[in-house]
Amino acid sequence: MRHLTLRILLFLLCICSAYYSHATHVRAGEITAKRISDRDLTYKLTLNTYHDEIGGRMASDGQNDVTFCIRPFSGGTGSTLLAKRVKRTPINTATSLNIFEENFTFSSPGVYVISVGIENRNDGVVNMANSVNTPFYVETVLVINASLGLNRTPVMLNPPLDSARVGQKFCHNPAAFDADGDSLAYRLSIPKQGTPGTCINRNVNGYRDPALGINPDAKNELQNGPATFTINAITGDLCWDAPAVAGIYNVAFIIEEWRDGVKIGEVVRDMQIVVADAINRRPLIDPIANVCVEAGQTVTQLVRAQDPDNNRLLLSAYGGVFNLDPEGKPIAPPLISLDFATFTPAVTQPLTSPAVGTFKWLTNCAHVREAPYDVVFKVEDIPNRSIQLASLESFSIRVVSPKPVGLAAKASTGAIPGFTLTWTAYRCQLPGAQVVIYRKEGCTGGTFSGCTNPGDPVALGYTEVGRVPVATTTSTDDNNGLGLKKGGVQYSYRIRVIFALPQGGTSPLSDETCLDLPAQIPVLTNVTVDTTSTNKGVITVRWTRPPFKPGDVPGPYQYRLSRATGLNGTDFTVIATINTNLGNQPDTVFVDRNLNTVQNAYRYRLEFFYTFNGTLATLGTTEAASSVRLSIVPASLGLRLNWQAVVPWRNENQRHRVYREVRNRPGTFNLIAEVPVQAANTFTYVDDGTDRFLADGNATVKLTTDSSYCYRVETVGTYDNPRIQVGQLFNLSQIVCAVPADSTKPCPPVLKIDALDCANLTSADCPEKVSNSINWTYPAKNANNQDCAPVVTYNVYYTRYPDEAFSKIGQTTAPLVNFLHTGLDSYAGCYYVTAISRFGTESARSNVVCNDNCAAYKLPNVFTPNGDGKNDLFKPLTCSVFVESVTFVVYNRWGNKIFETNSPSLNWDGKTSDGQELPSGTYFYQATVKFKTLQKGSESSTLKGWVQLIR
């Protein structure tokens, strides 16, 4: 697709002659596949190779066929397939595109590897060993499954022909396109070699990373970091920033094909990069932002490029939206539906710098898919006396479907309460698409757009209630035959279109339609606790009259009120039957008595009866409503109130009221706070004694842990259905009393330890068991100058080694602030102390203090083992309890070992190890000593000296 002037071509041939003088012919290639029959698993396998037509012309002439190897991915015997060359087309004077094709029918579904090995690669490839004797090899992994339909692997539309310059960033993009709309991902790989005609392959010998494998000190183009060789996993931009050594390089990368979160294949491209050391500088394209359009809109994008050396430029563009192969010829069958995109001017037209090109694409519904369309713009310079360089810019286009419109709903006419929904016929009726209907209670408004915020029905609280083919324009929702609630509940509906795989994707959510089912029965309005008692509790229940006039529905009429125990109780029992003619009598209230409102919440529902053929018949039952249930838990120097009620009206987004009983006036409650609430999990309030509602006076008190405080809560609610005009609904909870708890942590004590005085310690201060004494002080205030909580007890913790866990070894009762740790075999160890309040709250740990043994082992230089009881034994002058182990050896003046012991106290009596008395004289010793210290596994020390034995 690239065309060069004759002068540039001749110059390139001169520059590259050193590279091509011993070349064979294969420079790059990849394998693609597409299923061609829906009756069996027949695929067309295609190998595209790019041949060197300068040094490798003869080899290219002879390459009239290749052998595919097809083998199971999991291993096993493979089969071979001979494929003829069906096309050999010059891409430019130096390179040709060669296409080998053959059909193959897979015997069964599975995962297969399709590979080709060809003799041989170019000689002198810098980043592999012995390239001239290394076969070229590529492979493609293909998932064979009939459920994938007429699947096609991605194709690469940008030929790998660009050159690089030492010190300048180089990028290549294959312009990969998946006509099925599958998602693509990219990763680097290592080039492989394969024995032609077989399935045998392995990584090439001596492969080295182009960036740093040749020159470990290579820098990037900006000279501010090491060179890198990377591929963008999303866009496929393969960039080398920057080459440091001229030569031919071979690289490979993999394009993964994904559908609905499952990988269904991958294609390897193996390619060469020719790096030259030239004075030319690469041209650059101005950055281009990705775009999103709704199907039917035109994408117009200006592409501006300039050359720092003011060379003339060639602009080109690659991508599936053009439906052009690497030669620039139309692809049949087409990759996408009409219309195709265009790019002007033509690639053969040289432009002065800065150069400007125009991309245009009129989209339509057939272009809608979840994956974006990627376009690669490329600029190449036309230098006078240097190698030609190029740069590219990736551009992504998302084509989204329009929003469904015209959604409306009305109550169904059937016996089961529900809604019939209708909408305008959808504009993008693609095969397999479905309209999905969503419903939720409550209306929130909001509008959505495919490009900015398509809307997440789950996050918005919607539930899917139905699906119909995309050509359908109506649907009925009756809650799967269970019916929807009448009266008091508003329902919000939205729809969106979901498109079938592999294109996939969804439309944005429609605007909502919001309505309710008209109620023909009363609604409950109050369930309020009047009296709190274990056996004489009282709850008042109120409701509205039915929304029709007497006579509209035949009478007489009757209310039947039922009760269940618990907020969500379902075991309802009729507790009142009230006959009515819907006149002016007070028949919409009932006082329920003799309840245990201390321990129980109660739930009520009302059934309304009318007269049908002389017999009472039910017109319907209200939704149940519970009493308000209050609970209290102690908080830090306060009390936390939590309340709940399960009711058909909405208590959310209101201001609930908290009342506290007035001290010394039992039964009198003062409003202390109006609590703004949103969702039910915000029905909570912490009382610290402050009266925050002062309109009725200030009743602030100091809460103490030795007093009980009583509360009740009043919820405020309303029906959000405009048909139910009942105003605000006020309902009281039961009365609950509680005592605050002081959960404030005590302050950590300040700890000290009686440390050893090693300088003045003698062997006389050396008991078999030792003890550590610690003491502490308790602060009056913490770091924030707040009073520390009173302390009842202290816990003492100990560890032998500082890097091990502490364990509790004792407890003292305040005001005692010292502790003696006895029965130890050494002083080494660490301690901390915590304080415990009267409520059992434990403070943070105190500072950690440690004691250590004296790492000293002193020996005398004379002793007199004559039996007079004085200085008869040779033993340490320091305490042996500090010693973990010792090896003590005595030698005579001739170096013979005469005595040895491992006892830390030594107690040498002047005799040999076998009990013979030694004569007076000078003897020499060596003691290897390991001390008991805070450090686990401490090293041994070696002492050498002499001693005078006198008898």
Side-chain angles (χ1 to χ4, degrees):
M1 194 170 181
R2 182 176 64 184
H3 301 275
L4 307 176
T5 63
L6 178 61
R7 179 171 54 183
I8 296 301
L9 282 172
L10 292 174
F11 183 74
L12 276 174
L13 296 179
C14 295
I15 291 292
C16 298
S17 61
Y19 303 144
Y20 297 137
S21 59
H22 297 91
T24 53
H25 62 296
V26 184
R27 299 189 59 194
E30 68 268 348
I31 298 171
T32 61
K34 64 178 178 179
R35 187 178 174 191
I36 59 176
S37 171
D38 59 2
R39 296 186 299 274
D40 54 28
L41 300 177
T42 300
Y43 281 72
K44 176 178 284 188
L45 307 182
T46 302
L47 170 69
N48 291 343
T49 57
Y50 295 87
H51 290 184
D52 167 21
E53 296 291 350
I54 301 176
R57 179 62 180 265
M58 293 181 61
S60 181
D61 289 344
Q63 188 75 59
N64 292 315
D65 54 54
V66 297
T67 300
F68 285 106
C69 169
I70 301 99
R71 61 178 174 85
F73 181 81
S74 58
T77 304
S79 57
T80 58
L81 177 70
L82 186 68
K84 298 292 186 180
R85 177 161 54 185
V86 298
K87 182 180 288 189
R88 182 185 183 188
T89 304
I91 297 296
N92 56 44
T93 306
T95 308
S96 65
L97 169 64
N98 297 262
I99 301 176
F100 304 83
E101 287 184 345
E102 191 55 71
N103 294 344
F104 182 81
T105 301
F106 292 87
S107 60
S108 62
V111 182
Y112 293 87
V113 179
I114 307 164
S115 62
V116 169
I118 302 176
E119 299 278 3
N120 255 347
R121 296 180 184 269
N122 296 77
D123 188 15
V125 175
V126 175
N127 64 327
M128 71 173 65
N130 193 22
S131 61
V132 71
N133 293 316
T134 301
F136 177 84
Y137 176 89
V138 288
E139 67 181 25
T140 286
V141 178
L142 192 63
V143 175
I144 304 297
N145 191 320
S147 66
L148 296 176
L150 297 178
N151 183 45
R152 294 165 283 186
T153 62
V155 295
M156 297 178 223
L157 304 175
N158 182 19
L161 303 178
D162 300 316
S163 301
R165 182 202 141 179
V166 170
Q168 292 198 39
K169 183 177 181 180
F170 165 84
C171 288
H172 166 75
N173 189 299
F177 183 79
D178 192 284
D180 302 321
D182 295 320
S183 298
L184 303 181
Y186 302 81
R187 73 177 196 270
L188 291 174
S189 183
I190 295 177
K192 291 184 176 182
Q193 63 185 63
T195 304
T198 74
C199 297
I200 301 172
N201 68 89
R202 59 183 174 84
N203 290 344
V204 298
N205 295 324
Y207 180 77
R208 290 181 287 175
D209 172 49
L212 301 173
I214 309 301
N215 180 1
D217 298 322
K219 299 292 185 182
N220 61 16
E221 185 177 47
L222 298 178
Q223 296 293 304
N224 61 359
T228 58
F229 185 76
T230 61
I231 192 167
N232 187 301
I234 298 174
T235 66
D237 288 342
L238 177 78
C239 291
W240 185 357
D241 188 11
V245 178
I248 300 175
Y249 294 79
N250 259 94
V251 300
F253 59 89
I254 295 173
I255 304 177
E256 299 174 345
E257 182 184 10
W258 293 78
R259 182 177 298 179
D260 199 24
V262 177
K263 186 164 71 172
I264 61 172
E266 56 184 40
V267 178
V268 175
R269 169 172 272 191
D270 188 305
M271 59 177 282
Q272 285 188 344
I273 303 172
V274 177
V275 179
D277 196 356
I279 60 173
N280 188 23
R281 292 177 292 175
R282 63 188 175 100
L284 295 173
I285 299 177
D286 291 350
I288 300 174
N290 298 331
V291 300
C292 176
V293 296
E294 186 177 293
Q297 295 179 333
T298 298
V299 180
T300 302
Q301 178 64 54
L302 294 181
V303 180
R304 182 180 183 275
Q306 53 188 339
D307 188 87
D309 300 321
N310 208 32
N311 292 318
R312 289 183 302 163
L313 301 174
L314 296 173
L315 286 176
S316 56
Y318 304 89
V321 295
F322 301 105
N323 196 52
L324 298 176
D325 66 13
E327 304 173 58
K329 297 179 180 179
I331 298 173
L335 297 176
I336 66 169
S337 299
L338 291 170
D339 289 335
F340 305 139
T342 61
F343 185 74
T344 54
V347 68
T348 56
Q349 180 180 340
L351 304 170
T352 59
S353 178
V356 177
T358 302
F359 170 88
K360 279 192 176 182
W361 184 28
L362 175 59
T363 64
N364 58 55
C365 288
H367 299 144
V368 171
R369 69 179 199 177
E370 186 172 12
Y373 294 87
D374 293 324
V375 177
V376 176
F377 297 115
K378 183 162 69 173
V379 59
E380 303 165 273
D381 64 2
I382 309 176
N384 291 323
R385 293 182 174 274
S386 186
I387 190 169
Q388 187 178 31
L389 298 177
S391 292
L392 56 84
E393 186 74 20
S394 297
F395 175 51
S396 178
I397 306 166
R398 286 182 58 226
V399 181
V400 300
S401 59
K403 179 169 65 176
V405 296
L407 179 63
K410 63 180 181 179
S412 302
T413 57
I416 302 175
F419 293 102
T420 298
L421 287 81
T422 59
W423 54 88
T424 303
Y426 192 61
R427 179 157 61 89
C428 291
Q429 296 188 12
L430 300 182
Q434 292 180 305
V435 178
V436 184
I437 301 100
Y438 299 95
R439 180 191 72 222
K440 74 171 182 178
E441 294 185 12
C443 302
T444 53
T447 188
F448 300 97
S449 166
C451 283
T452 56
N453 178 16
D456 182 349
V458 175
L460 293 169
Y462 285 92
T463 301
E464 180 181 331
V465 295
R467 291 190 180 205
V468 295
V470 69
T472 307
T473 58
T474 185
S475 178
T476 297
D477 174 31
D478 61 4
N479 195 24
N480 293 321
L482 299 177
L484 294 172
K485 303 171 186 175
K486 285 187 174 183
V489 179
Q490 283 193 308
Y491 292 99
S492 170
Y493 286 91
R494 293 182 191 266
I495 61 173
R496 70 171 176 177
V497 176
I498 294 182
F499 298 95
L501 294 173
Q503 285 78 12
T506 65
S507 76
L509 285 173
S510 71
D511 292 340
E512 74 176 345
T513 185
C514 198
L515 71 171
D516 65 332
L517 290 170
Q520 295 296 313
I521 59 174
V523 294
L524 294 174
T525 58
N526 291 93
V527 180
T528 187
V529 180
D530 297 322
T531 304
T532 302
S533 172
T534 57
N535 56 7
K536 294 185 179 298
V538 177
I539 292 179
T540 297
V541 183
R542 291 184 174 86
W543 56 90
T544 65
R545 296 186 186 279
F548 54 78
K549 296 178 181 178
D552 289 350
V553 175
Y557 313 101
Q558 187 181 86
Y559 300 112
R560 293 182 189 175
L561 183 66
S562 299
R563 180 185 68 218
T565 302
L567 283 169
N568 295 286
T570 57
D571 187 14
F572 286 95
T573 301
V574 175
I575 60 171
T577 300
I578 304 173
N579 296 316
T580 179
N581 59 10
L582 302 183
N584 295 323
Q585 66 269 34
D587 53 10
T588 58
V589 60
F590 179 79
V591 180
D592 195 11
R593 303 179 184 276
N594 301 319
L595 302 172
N596 184 354
T597 52
V598 173
Q599 295 182 345
N600 299 322
Y602 292 92
R603 195 171 184 221
Y604 297 85
R605 70 183 184 190
L606 185 74
E607 190 173 12
F608 183 78
F609 289 81
Y610 70 105
T611 300
F612 180 72
N613 292 333
T615 304
L616 287 176
T618 182
L619 190 62
T621 303
T622 67
E623 286 191 72
S626 76
S627 59
V628 183
R629 191 67 184 167
L630 174 64
S631 62
I632 302 178
V633 294
S636 179
L637 295 177
L639 293 166
R640 176 175 290 278
L641 285 68
N642 300 292
W643 59 96
Q644 54 185 321
V646 182
V647 294
W649 57 86
R650 298 202 177 276
N651 286 327
E652 297 83 3
N653 300 310
Q654 301 285 344
R655 297 180 69 86
H656 294 188
R657 299 166 179 175
V658 177
Y659 297 85
R660 185 176 63 223
E661 190 176 47
V662 179
R663 304 295 287 172
N664 302 320
R665 292 174 60 189
T668 301
F669 284 80
N670 182 71
L671 177 60
I672 61 170
E674 289 187 323
V675 182
V677 298
Q678 286 81 44
N681 61 356
T682 66
F683 292 9
T684 185
Y685 176 75
V686 175
D687 181 29
D688 61 1
T690 303
D691 186 349
R692 292 181 171 84
F693 185 85
L694 302 179
D696 58 352
N698 190 342
T700 297
V701 298
K702 183 177 181 180
L703 302 183
T704 62
T705 56
D706 55 2
S707 297
S708 177
Y709 300 86
C710 297
Y711 299 84
R712 69 191 313 181
V713 169
E714 186 176 40
T715 60
V716 180
T718 185
Y719 282 98
D720 57 9
N721 187 335
R723 289 193 178 94
I724 303 176
Q725 301 291 330
V726 295
Q728 288 188 310
L729 308 177
F730 303 93
N731 291 279
L732 288 165
S733 73
Q734 86 282 18
I735 298 171
V736 179
C737 302
V739 177
D742 186 358
S743 61
T744 305
K745 283 191 174 183
C747 300
V750 180
L751 182 61
K752 294 181 181 179
I753 191 169
D754 293 343
L756 288 178
D757 183 3
C758 293
N760 298 314
L761 200 65
T762 68
S763 59
D765 304 318
C766 193
E768 290 186 4
K769 294 293 183 180
V770 298
S771 60
N772 280 325
S773 177
I774 59 174
N775 60 85
W776 57 89
T777 58
Y778 185 70
K781 293 184 179 293
N782 61 19
N784 297 322
N785 201 33
Q786 297 172 330
D787 291 340
C788 293
V791 177
V792 176
T793 57
Y794 296 95
N795 287 340
V796 181
Y797 296 84
Y798 166 79
T799 183
R800 172 63 180 81
Y801 298 103
D803 57 352
E804 292 186 348
F806 284 81
S807 59
K808 182 180 173 182
I809 60 168
Q811 187 178 70
T812 67
T813 302
L816 189 64
V817 289
N818 54 67
F819 182 82
L820 186 65
H821 190 191
T822 60
L824 301 172
D825 61 0
S826 91
Y827 293 98
C830 297
Y831 302 83
Y832 73 79
V833 176
T834 60
I836 313 298
S837 74
R838 60 176 172 164
F839 298 103
T841 306
E842 187 171 16
S843 74
R845 64 169 61 180
S846 70
N847 56 304
V848 175
V849 297
C850 299
N851 214 354
D852 205 354
N853 293 311
C854 300
Y857 197 70
K858 296 180 181 179
L859 298 174
N861 57 12
V862 64
F863 76 115
T864 58
N866 53 16
D868 62 358
K870 297 179 181 178
N871 200 24
D872 285 333
L873 297 176
F874 182 81
K875 54 186 179 181
L877 300 174
T878 52
C879 184
S880 60
V881 77
F882 302 151
V883 177
E884 183 174 327
S885 65
V886 65
T887 300
F888 178 75
V889 182
V890 181
Y891 302 89
N892 62 19
R893 67 180 63 189
W894 296 281
N896 296 321
K897 183 169 70 173
I898 58 175
F899 178 78
E900 183 175 358
T901 183
N902 296 114
S903 172
S905 58
L906 303 184
N907 291 328
W908 180 36
D909 58 2
K911 296 178 182 180
T912 64
S913 294
D914 57 5
Q916 297 181 17
E917 285 192 358
L918 292 169
S920 298
T922 301
Y923 295 88
F924 302 90
Y925 63 81
Q926 177 175 300
T928 303
V929 185
K930 187 175 182 181
F931 295 99
K932 300 174 182 176
T933 69
L934 286 173
Q935 302 304 316
K936 204 172 191 178
S938 59
E939 295 182 356
S940 301
S941 300
T942 300
L943 306 176
K944 295 181 180 180
W946 58 269
V947 59
Q948 187 72 33
L949 189 155
I950 302 174
R951 290 197 180 274

